[in-house]
Amino acid sequence: MYLPKGIATYGCLGILLVFASLTPRVGAIKCLKCSSNDDQNCLDYTKIVAADCAEGVEMCFTSNDGGVITRGCLQKDQPCEANTCKSCTGDSCNNHNICKKCSTDDADCSQTDASLVKYNEICESSTTQCFVQVKDKKVERRCATADDSCSNDTTCKKTDGSISNAGYFPTKRIHCYQCAQTDCSDVSVSAVPKKPCRNYVDNDECYMTAESATAVTRGCKSDDNAKCSTGGGEQGCVTCQTDNCNNSTYERQQKLKCIQCQGTDCYKEQAAAEAKDCEKKILYSDKEACFTLVADGDIQRSCLHNDAATKEKCEKAGDACKVCSNEDGCNRSAESSNFQCIVCRSDENKDCWNDASK
């Protein structure tokens, strides 16, 4: 059949284009090439530039070997198992996002920033977000799925970017010393860890309790089987609400300074600058305090725990003993002496000799 010259030319060109589109691509594919073992930028595909693969290579890959992420050109006979490796076709297709993965069964998932390489996970694509949430009081991290949603930003987050679900979570969770028995006696000289609580609850607290100087327990009020779980109501339990605040030794030096005086000059208001250190050590569970005691025609100001007998006397004196602890020298206010003299003359009142009260 005869075809006009122009039609014949375009027909041949069309056949060539169709043939070219059906012919497998040979070489020249570009893949991201790197290893996080040598370059941490390999965790973030946006920081890696694709490079040409060898002739005949048609696929790229991203693999995970114990947390070490490798990206490169996939050779024909190179294994790429689904649980540790993802393969793909197309230039720069191995741009999979990397997130952290650990479960609620792993204490370090909740109590560390999950920065260890063993937690690295390859996500399905570059657009897959990272996910972290509190589940049953504990933390879970992984690549996000389409079904994941967050209703509370404090306890659940979907985030863009590489390793974006690392870090302590929730960010504002209390850190406490957590230990027991002998190694727990003095955290200032021992390698006792201070870390987030295993369980996350709102308004959690640290605690300390002790039976002796060598039998000390420290932890979080939210701990499973915590010795102090009701906010310090148990015998010997002390709770606090700031990071690593459960750091006291069994006996501790007092920090509060008190006015310390006795006698007539002690009734007037004292200068706060005259407050002195309380010298006696107290138990971890004792509350530091100053006192002013007016009784038996005398006045005494001092540290409540300096003398056991005086402390007992103050406790029995009721309103006659004022206790404070809000600031150094808090027991400085002037006090009324209620001191009275009997005035009489024996030449006018014979009872002035022996019974002037009449």
Side-chain angles (χ1 to χ4, degrees):
M1 180 177 66
Y2 172 78
L3 292 173
K5 183 177 180 180
I7 295 176
T9 301
Y10 284 115
C12 292
L13 180 59
I15 292 171
L16 288 173
L17 290 173
V18 171
F19 178 77
S21 66
L22 295 176
T23 302
R25 178 175 178 172
V26 179
I29 188 174
K30 293 178 180 291
C31 297
L32 304 182
K33 297 180 180 180
C34 60
S35 170
S36 63
N37 199 39
D38 305 316
D39 183 2
Q40 286 298 299
N41 285 335
C42 195
L43 299 175
D44 186 349
Y45 73 90
T46 65
K47 298 179 180 179
I48 304 298
V49 178
D52 290 333
C53 295
E55 289 292 327
V57 174
E58 300 175 1
M59 302 183 75
C60 304
F61 76 92
T62 303
S63 68
N64 184 351
D65 182 9
V68 176
I69 302 300
T70 303
R71 305 179 194 262
C73 305
L74 186 64
Q75 305 300 322
K76 288 184 178 180
D77 298 329
Q78 182 178 343
C80 185
E81 298 180 2
N83 59 333
T84 59
C85 180
K86 295 187 184 299
S87 60
C88 57
T89 57
D91 287 343
S92 304
C93 64
N94 59 337
N95 57 353
H96 305 88
N97 194 24
I98 307 299
C99 297
K100 293 296 183 178
K101 180 181 181 179
C102 51
S103 72
T104 56
D105 294 330
D106 184 348
D108 285 342
C109 198
S110 297
Q111 294 182 286
T112 72
D113 58 4
S115 60
L116 295 179
V117 297
K118 69 176 183 178
Y119 293 128
N120 290 342
E121 178 189 26
I122 305 171
C123 298
E124 287 300 319
S125 72
S126 62
T127 60
T128 303
Q129 292 180 295
C130 296
F131 183 70
V132 57
Q133 70 170 340
V134 174
K135 182 180 180 181
D136 298 327
K137 300 181 182 180
K138 297 174 176 62
V139 175
E140 173 192 29
R141 308 172 196 260
R142 54 179 169 78
C143 297
T145 68
D147 295 331
D148 290 325
S149 62
C150 293
S151 59
N152 185 332
D153 286 343
T154 300
T155 56
C156 180
K157 285 187 181 296
K158 290 177 71 175
T159 53
D160 297 318
S162 170
I163 315 295
S164 57
N165 62 340
Y168 291 112
F169 188 81
T171 53
K172 294 183 178 179
R173 62 185 305 164
I174 193 169
H175 290 55
C176 302
Y177 285 101
Q178 299 168 54
C179 56
Q181 302 307 314
T182 305
D183 292 339
C184 207
S185 297
D186 188 349
V187 295
S188 67
V189 297
S190 60
V192 174
K194 44 188 177 182
K195 54 187 178 181
C197 299
R198 176 72 172 93
N199 297 321
Y200 176 78
V201 297
D202 290 335
N203 303 314
D204 203 359
E205 297 180 347
C206 304
Y207 79 83
M208 173 184 172
T209 186
E211 297 175 6
S212 68
T214 57
V216 179
T217 301
R218 307 174 197 269
C220 307
K221 196 173 73 172
S222 64
D223 288 343
D224 299 330
N225 303 314
K227 288 191 174 183
C228 300
S229 59
T230 62
E234 299 93 336
Q235 181 68 31
C237 283
V238 174
T239 60
C240 51
Q241 298 174 324
T242 58
D243 284 346
N244 312 315
C245 56
N246 59 337
N247 59 355
S248 176
T249 52
Y250 181 69
E251 287 188 322
R252 60 187 176 88
Q253 191 66 50
Q254 298 184 66
K255 297 179 181 179
L256 186 67
K257 295 182 179 182
C258 301
I259 300 296
Q260 301 177 46
C261 62
Q262 189 170 6
T264 304
D265 288 341
C266 200
Y267 281 102
K268 66 183 180 181
E269 183 175 358
Q270 308 295 308
E274 295 299 317
K276 300 177 182 178
D277 291 327
C278 298
E279 297 180 356
K280 185 177 180 180
K281 287 187 175 182
I282 59 176
L283 289 180
Y284 72 96
S285 55
D286 287 335
K287 184 178 180 180
E288 297 179 39
C290 305
F291 76 90
T292 300
L293 173 63
V294 179
D296 302 326
D298 196 10
I299 184 172
Q300 181 181 2
R301 305 177 194 262
S302 191
C303 306
L304 186 63
H305 298 284
N306 272 6
D307 179 72
T310 303
K311 179 185 176 184
E312 183 179 0
K313 185 177 180 180
C314 184
E315 291 171 346
K316 292 180 178 180
D319 293 341
C321 187
K322 299 177 181 178
V323 178
C324 62
S325 59
N326 57 308
E327 61 178 342
D328 288 344
C330 60
N331 61 334
R332 63 181 180 272
S333 299
E335 297 292 337
S336 174
S337 66
N338 293 321
F339 183 75
Q340 296 180 341
C341 296
I342 296 175
V343 179
C344 63
R345 290 178 53 168
S346 60
D347 60 342
E348 296 177 352
N349 182 358
K350 62 180 181 179
D351 292 323
C352 193
W353 288 103
N354 300 312
D355 193 1
S357 61
K358 291 184 179 180

PDB file of all heavy atoms in Angstrom, residues 237-263:
ATOM      1  N   CYS A 237       7.094   9.034 103.911  1.00  0.00           N
ATOM      2  CA  CYS A 237       7.133   9.414 102.497  1.00  0.00           C
ATOM      3  C   CYS A 237       7.236  10.927 102.342  1.00  0.00           C
ATOM      4  O   CYS A 237       6.500  11.677 102.979  1.00  0.00           O
ATOM      5  CB  CYS A 237       5.883   8.922 101.778  1.00  0.00           C
ATOM      6  SG  CYS A 237       5.904   7.161 101.387  1.00  0.00           S
ATOM      7  N   VAL A 238       8.146  11.342 101.484  1.00  0.00           N
ATOM      8  CA  VAL A 238       8.281  12.758 101.145  1.00  0.00           C
ATOM      9  C   VAL A 238       8.168  12.879  99.631  1.00  0.00           C
ATOM     10  O   VAL A 238       8.876  12.192  98.888  1.00  0.00           O
ATOM     11  CB  VAL A 238       9.637  13.321 101.610  1.00  0.00           C
ATOM     12  CG1 VAL A 238       9.817  14.750 101.123  1.00  0.00           C
ATOM     13  CG2 VAL A 238       9.742  13.270 103.125  1.00  0.00           C
ATOM     14  N   THR A 239       7.271  13.722  99.153  1.00  0.00           N
ATOM     15  CA  THR A 239       7.090  13.912  97.714  1.00  0.00           C
ATOM     16  C   THR A 239       7.427  15.350  97.331  1.00  0.00           C
ATOM     17  O   THR A 239       7.415  16.258  98.163  1.00  0.00           O
ATOM     18  CB  THR A 239       5.645  13.606  97.286  1.00  0.00           C
ATOM     19  OG1 THR A 239       4.750  14.487  97.976  1.00  0.00           O
ATOM     20  CG2 THR A 239       5.288  12.158  97.602  1.00  0.00           C
ATOM     21  N   CYS A 240       7.745  15.552  96.043  1.00  0.00           N
ATOM     22  CA  CYS A 240       8.090  16.883  95.548  1.00  0.00           C
ATOM     23  C   CYS A 240       7.777  16.946  94.059  1.00  0.00           C
ATOM     24  O   CYS A 240       7.582  15.908  93.416  1.00  0.00           O
ATOM     25  CB  CYS A 240       9.553  17.198  95.827  1.00  0.00           C
ATOM     26  SG  CYS A 240      10.713  15.911  95.272  1.00  0.00           S
ATOM     27  N   GLN A 241       7.768  18.152  93.484  1.00  0.00           N
ATOM     28  CA  GLN A 241       7.204  18.331  92.147  1.00  0.00           C
ATOM     29  C   GLN A 241       8.149  18.946  91.130  1.00  0.00           C
ATOM     30  O   GLN A 241       7.709  19.378  90.068  1.00  0.00           O
ATOM     31  CB  GLN A 241       5.942  19.200  92.246  1.00  0.00           C
ATOM     32  CG  GLN A 241       4.846  18.574  93.100  1.00  0.00           C
ATOM     33  CD  GLN A 241       3.667  19.511  93.298  1.00  0.00           C
ATOM     34  OE1 GLN A 241       3.840  20.719  93.424  1.00  0.00           O
ATOM     35  NE2 GLN A 241       2.468  18.952  93.322  1.00  0.00           N
ATOM     36  N   THR A 242       9.451  18.973  91.396  1.00  0.00           N
ATOM     37  CA  THR A 242      10.406  19.508  90.423  1.00  0.00           C
ATOM     38  C   THR A 242      11.406  18.418  90.038  1.00  0.00           C
ATOM     39  O   THR A 242      11.601  17.448  90.772  1.00  0.00           O
ATOM     40  CB  THR A 242      11.162  20.721  90.991  1.00  0.00           C
ATOM     41  OG1 THR A 242      11.838  20.339  92.204  1.00  0.00           O
ATOM     42  CG2 THR A 242      10.204  21.859  91.290  1.00  0.00           C
ATOM     43  N   ASP A 243      12.046  18.583  88.889  1.00  0.00           N
ATOM     44  CA  ASP A 243      12.968  17.565  88.394  1.00  0.00           C
ATOM     45  C   ASP A 243      14.051  17.226  89.413  1.00  0.00           C
ATOM     46  O   ASP A 243      14.710  18.120  89.963  1.00  0.00           O
ATOM     47  CB  ASP A 243      13.634  18.041  87.101  1.00  0.00           C
ATOM     48  CG  ASP A 243      12.709  17.948  85.904  1.00  0.00           C
ATOM     49  OD1 ASP A 243      11.670  17.276  86.012  1.00  0.00           O
ATOM     50  OD2 ASP A 243      13.035  18.545  84.857  1.00  0.00           O
ATOM     51  N   ASN A 244      14.222  15.924  89.669  1.00  0.00           N
ATOM     52  CA  ASN A 244      15.301  15.389  90.504  1.00  0.00           C
ATOM     53  C   ASN A 244      15.293  15.952  91.922  1.00  0.00           C
ATOM     54  O   ASN A 244      16.332  16.045  92.573  1.00  0.00           O
ATOM     55  CB  ASN A 244      16.661  15.670  89.842  1.00  0.00           C
ATOM     56  CG  ASN A 244      16.669  15.291  88.378  1.00  0.00           C
ATOM     57  OD1 ASN A 244      16.202  14.229  88.010  1.00  0.00           O
ATOM     58  ND2 ASN A 244      17.183  16.171  87.534  1.00  0.00           N
ATOM     59  N   CYS A 245      14.115  16.309  92.404  1.00  0.00           N
ATOM     60  CA  CYS A 245      14.009  16.917  93.734  1.00  0.00           C
ATOM     61  C   CYS A 245      14.121  15.895  94.860  1.00  0.00           C
ATOM     62  O   CYS A 245      14.329  16.273  96.019  1.00  0.00           O
ATOM     63  CB  CYS A 245      12.692  17.683  93.858  1.00  0.00           C
ATOM     64  SG  CYS A 245      11.210  16.674  93.531  1.00  0.00           S
ATOM     65  N   ASN A 246      14.011  14.599  94.572  1.00  0.00           N
ATOM     66  CA  ASN A 246      14.088  13.571  95.614  1.00  0.00           C
ATOM     67  C   ASN A 246      15.536  13.146  95.841  1.00  0.00           C
ATOM     68  O   ASN A 246      15.892  11.973  95.782  1.00  0.00           O
ATOM     69  CB  ASN A 246      13.215  12.363  95.254  1.00  0.00           C
ATOM     70  CG  ASN A 246      13.601  11.713  93.933  1.00  0.00           C
ATOM     71  OD1 ASN A 246      14.206  12.343  93.074  1.00  0.00           O
ATOM     72  ND2 ASN A 246      13.228  10.450  93.771  1.00  0.00           N
ATOM     73  N   ASN A 247      16.380  14.140  96.108  1.00  0.00           N
ATOM     74  CA  ASN A 247      17.829  13.928  96.175  1.00  0.00           C
ATOM     75  C   ASN A 247      18.410  14.053  97.576  1.00  0.00           C
ATOM     76  O   ASN A 247      19.626  14.098  97.749  1.00  0.00           O
ATOM     77  CB  ASN A 247      18.536  14.925  95.255  1.00  0.00           C
ATOM     78  CG  ASN A 247      18.222  16.371  95.627  1.00  0.00           C
ATOM     79  OD1 ASN A 247      17.401  16.630  96.509  1.00  0.00           O
ATOM     80  ND2 ASN A 247      18.860  17.318  94.959  1.00  0.00           N
ATOM     81  N   SER A 248      17.578  14.112  98.594  1.00  0.00           N
ATOM     82  CA  SER A 248      18.070  14.317  99.957  1.00  0.00           C
ATOM     83  C   SER A 248      18.791  13.075 100.479  1.00  0.00           C
ATOM     84  O   SER A 248      18.466  11.942 100.124  1.00  0.00           O
ATOM     85  CB  SER A 248      16.903  14.651 100.888  1.00  0.00           C
ATOM     86  OG  SER A 248      17.345  14.762 102.226  1.00  0.00           O
ATOM     87  N   THR A 249      19.776  13.301 101.351  1.00  0.00           N
ATOM     88  CA  THR A 249      20.369  12.192 102.091  1.00  0.00           C
ATOM     89  C   THR A 249      19.440  11.843 103.256  1.00  0.00           C
ATOM     90  O   THR A 249      18.509  12.595 103.563  1.00  0.00           O
ATOM     91  CB  THR A 249      21.753  12.584 102.638  1.00  0.00           C
ATOM     92  OG1 THR A 249      21.633  13.823 103.356  1.00  0.00           O
ATOM     93  CG2 THR A 249      22.751  12.754 101.503  1.00  0.00           C
ATOM     94  N   TYR A 250      19.696  10.715 103.901  1.00  0.00           N
ATOM     95  CA  TYR A 250      18.839  10.284 105.013  1.00  0.00           C
ATOM     96  C   TYR A 250      18.830  11.343 106.112  1.00  0.00           C
ATOM     97  O   TYR A 250      17.784  11.707 106.644  1.00  0.00           O
ATOM     98  CB  TYR A 250      19.332   8.949 105.562  1.00  0.00           C
ATOM     99  CG  TYR A 250      18.499   8.403 106.693  1.00  0.00           C
ATOM    100  CD1 TYR A 250      17.203   7.941 106.464  1.00  0.00           C
ATOM    101  CD2 TYR A 250      19.008   8.346 107.989  1.00  0.00           C
ATOM    102  CE1 TYR A 250      16.426   7.438 107.504  1.00  0.00           C
ATOM    103  CE2 TYR A 250      18.246   7.844 109.033  1.00  0.00           C
ATOM    104  CZ  TYR A 250      16.954   7.392 108.783  1.00  0.00           C
ATOM    105  OH  TYR A 250      16.187   6.899 109.816  1.00  0.00           O
ATOM    106  N   GLU A 251      20.005  11.841 106.453  1.00  0.00           N
ATOM    107  CA  GLU A 251      20.120  13.008 107.329  1.00  0.00           C
ATOM    108  C   GLU A 251      20.681  14.147 106.500  1.00  0.00           C
ATOM    109  O   GLU A 251      21.583  13.953 105.691  1.00  0.00           O
ATOM    110  CB  GLU A 251      21.048  12.728 108.516  1.00  0.00           C
ATOM    111  CG  GLU A 251      20.453  11.809 109.560  1.00  0.00           C
ATOM    112  CD  GLU A 251      21.323  11.715 110.802  1.00  0.00           C
ATOM    113  OE1 GLU A 251      22.568  11.698 110.653  1.00  0.00           O
ATOM    114  OE2 GLU A 251      20.772  11.668 111.904  1.00  0.00           O
ATOM    115  N   ARG A 252      20.161  15.340 106.717  1.00  0.00           N
ATOM    116  CA  ARG A 252      20.591  16.460 105.885  1.00  0.00           C
ATOM    117  C   ARG A 252      20.829  17.717 106.709  1.00  0.00           C
ATOM    118  O   ARG A 252      20.250  17.899 107.784  1.00  0.00           O
ATOM    119  CB  ARG A 252      19.544  16.750 104.813  1.00  0.00           C
ATOM    120  CG  ARG A 252      18.169  17.120 105.360  1.00  0.00           C
ATOM    121  CD  ARG A 252      17.140  17.222 104.241  1.00  0.00           C
ATOM    122  NE  ARG A 252      15.797  17.479 104.744  1.00  0.00           N
ATOM    123  CZ  ARG A 252      15.292  18.685 104.967  1.00  0.00           C
ATOM    124  NH1 ARG A 252      16.021  19.763 104.734  1.00  0.00           N
ATOM    125  NH2 ARG A 252      14.054  18.831 105.417  1.00  0.00           N
ATOM    126  N   GLN A 253      21.700  18.541 106.187  1.00  0.00           N
ATOM    127  CA  GLN A 253      21.982  19.815 106.826  1.00  0.00           C
ATOM    128  C   GLN A 253      20.836  20.779 106.538  1.00  0.00           C
ATOM    129  O   GLN A 253      20.318  20.825 105.424  1.00  0.00           O
ATOM    130  CB  GLN A 253      23.287  20.404 106.285  1.00  0.00           C
ATOM    131  CG  GLN A 253      23.803  21.597 107.067  1.00  0.00           C
ATOM    132  CD  GLN A 253      24.224  21.229 108.477  1.00  0.00           C
ATOM    133  OE1 GLN A 253      24.979  20.282 108.675  1.00  0.00           O
ATOM    134  NE2 GLN A 253      23.718  21.966 109.453  1.00  0.00           N
ATOM    135  N   GLN A 254      20.440  21.539 107.540  1.00  0.00           N
ATOM    136  CA  GLN A 254      19.352  22.494 107.338  1.00  0.00           C
ATOM    137  C   GLN A 254      19.841  23.711 106.543  1.00  0.00           C
ATOM    138  O   GLN A 254      20.972  24.152 106.692  1.00  0.00           O
ATOM    139  CB  GLN A 254      18.798  22.954 108.690  1.00  0.00           C
ATOM    140  CG  GLN A 254      18.207  21.815 109.521  1.00  0.00           C
ATOM    141  CD  GLN A 254      17.579  22.313 110.799  1.00  0.00           C
ATOM    142  OE1 GLN A 254      16.572  23.026 110.769  1.00  0.00           O
ATOM    143  NE2 GLN A 254      18.161  21.948 111.936  1.00  0.00           N
ATOM    144  N   LYS A 255      18.969  24.230 105.704  1.00  0.00           N
ATOM    145  CA  LYS A 255      19.286  25.416 104.912  1.00  0.00           C
ATOM    146  C   LYS A 255      18.662  26.680 105.502  1.00  0.00           C
ATOM    147  O   LYS A 255      19.148  27.778 105.272  1.00  0.00           O
ATOM    148  CB  LYS A 255      18.796  25.229 103.481  1.00  0.00           C
ATOM    149  CG  LYS A 255      19.468  24.080 102.752  1.00  0.00           C
ATOM    150  CD  LYS A 255      18.914  23.932 101.345  1.00  0.00           C
ATOM    151  CE  LYS A 255      19.573  22.774 100.610  1.00  0.00           C
ATOM    152  NZ  LYS A 255      19.015  22.606  99.235  1.00  0.00           N
ATOM    153  N   LEU A 256      17.587  26.518 106.251  1.00  0.00           N
ATOM    154  CA  LEU A 256      16.882  27.662 106.825  1.00  0.00           C
ATOM    155  C   LEU A 256      17.702  28.292 107.953  1.00  0.00           C
ATOM    156  O   LEU A 256      18.303  27.591 108.766  1.00  0.00           O
ATOM    157  CB  LEU A 256      15.526  27.205 107.366  1.00  0.00           C
ATOM    158  CG  LEU A 256      14.576  28.285 107.885  1.00  0.00           C
ATOM    159  CD1 LEU A 256      14.109  29.179 106.741  1.00  0.00           C
ATOM    160  CD2 LEU A 256      13.379  27.645 108.585  1.00  0.00           C
ATOM    161  N   LYS A 257      17.705  29.624 108.001  1.00  0.00           N
ATOM    162  CA  LYS A 257      18.373  30.349 109.083  1.00  0.00           C
ATOM    163  C   LYS A 257      17.315  30.966 109.991  1.00  0.00           C
ATOM    164  O   LYS A 257      16.293  31.466 109.516  1.00  0.00           O
ATOM    165  CB  LYS A 257      19.275  31.448 108.519  1.00  0.00           C
ATOM    166  CG  LYS A 257      20.443  30.921 107.697  1.00  0.00           C
ATOM    167  CD  LYS A 257      21.322  32.057 107.208  1.00  0.00           C
ATOM    168  CE  LYS A 257      22.504  31.528 106.420  1.00  0.00           C
ATOM    169  NZ  LYS A 257      23.408  32.627 105.971  1.00  0.00           N
ATOM    170  N   CYS A 258      17.577  30.927 111.302  1.00  0.00           N
ATOM    171  CA  CYS A 258      16.593  31.415 112.276  1.00  0.00           C
ATOM    172  C   CYS A 258      17.223  32.422 113.237  1.00  0.00           C
ATOM    173  O   CYS A 258      18.429  32.383 113.508  1.00  0.00           O
ATOM    174  CB  CYS A 258      16.031  30.248 113.095  1.00  0.00           C
ATOM    175  SG  CYS A 258      15.220  28.960 112.116  1.00  0.00           S
ATOM    176  N   ILE A 259      16.380  33.318 113.770  1.00  0.00           N
ATOM    177  CA  ILE A 259      16.799  34.181 114.872  1.00  0.00           C
ATOM    178  C   ILE A 259      16.965  33.293 116.102  1.00  0.00           C
ATOM    179  O   ILE A 259      16.098  32.477 116.415  1.00  0.00           O
ATOM    180  CB  ILE A 259      15.758  35.278 115.149  1.00  0.00           C
ATOM    181  CG1 ILE A 259      15.566  36.160 113.913  1.00  0.00           C
ATOM    182  CG2 ILE A 259      16.162  36.110 116.361  1.00  0.00           C
ATOM    183  CD1 ILE A 259      16.792  36.942 113.499  1.00  0.00           C
ATOM    184  N   GLN A 260      18.078  33.457 116.811  1.00  0.00           N
ATOM    185  CA  GLN A 260      18.348  32.618 117.976  1.00  0.00           C
ATOM    186  C   GLN A 260      18.747  33.519 119.150  1.00  0.00           C
ATOM    187  O   GLN A 260      19.838  34.084 119.170  1.00  0.00           O
ATOM    188  CB  GLN A 260      19.457  31.606 117.651  1.00  0.00           C
ATOM    189  CG  GLN A 260      19.099  30.698 116.475  1.00  0.00           C
ATOM    190  CD  GLN A 260      20.196  29.725 116.082  1.00  0.00           C
ATOM    191  OE1 GLN A 260      20.792  29.079 116.950  1.00  0.00           O
ATOM    192  NE2 GLN A 260      20.455  29.606 114.788  1.00  0.00           N
ATOM    193  N   CYS A 261      17.812  33.666 120.100  1.00  0.00           N
ATOM    194  CA  CYS A 261      18.064  34.520 121.257  1.00  0.00           C
ATOM    195  C   CYS A 261      17.138  34.120 122.401  1.00  0.00           C
ATOM    196  O   CYS A 261      16.182  33.362 122.209  1.00  0.00           O
ATOM    197  CB  CYS A 261      17.874  35.999 120.903  1.00  0.00           C
ATOM    198  SG  CYS A 261      16.190  36.417 120.373  1.00  0.00           S
ATOM    199  N   GLN A 262      17.408  34.667 123.579  1.00  0.00           N
ATOM    200  CA  GLN A 262      16.583  34.392 124.758  1.00  0.00           C
ATOM    201  C   GLN A 262      16.786  35.526 125.758  1.00  0.00           C
ATOM    202  O   GLN A 262      17.867  36.111 125.844  1.00  0.00           O
ATOM    203  CB  GLN A 262      16.984  33.049 125.391  1.00  0.00           C
ATOM    204  CG  GLN A 262      16.049  32.574 126.493  1.00  0.00           C
ATOM    205  CD  GLN A 262      16.340  31.136 126.924  1.00  0.00           C
ATOM    206  OE1 GLN A 262      17.311  30.526 126.484  1.00  0.00           O
ATOM    207  NE2 GLN A 262      15.492  30.588 127.775  1.00  0.00           N
ATOM    208  N   GLY A 263      15.733  35.860 126.492  1.00  0.00           N
ATOM    209  CA  GLY A 263      15.852  36.907 127.499  1.00  0.00           C
ATOM    210  C   GLY A 263      15.161  38.196 127.095  1.00  0.00           C
ATOM    211  O   GLY A 263      14.504  38.285 126.056  1.00  0.00           O
TER     212      GLY A 263
END
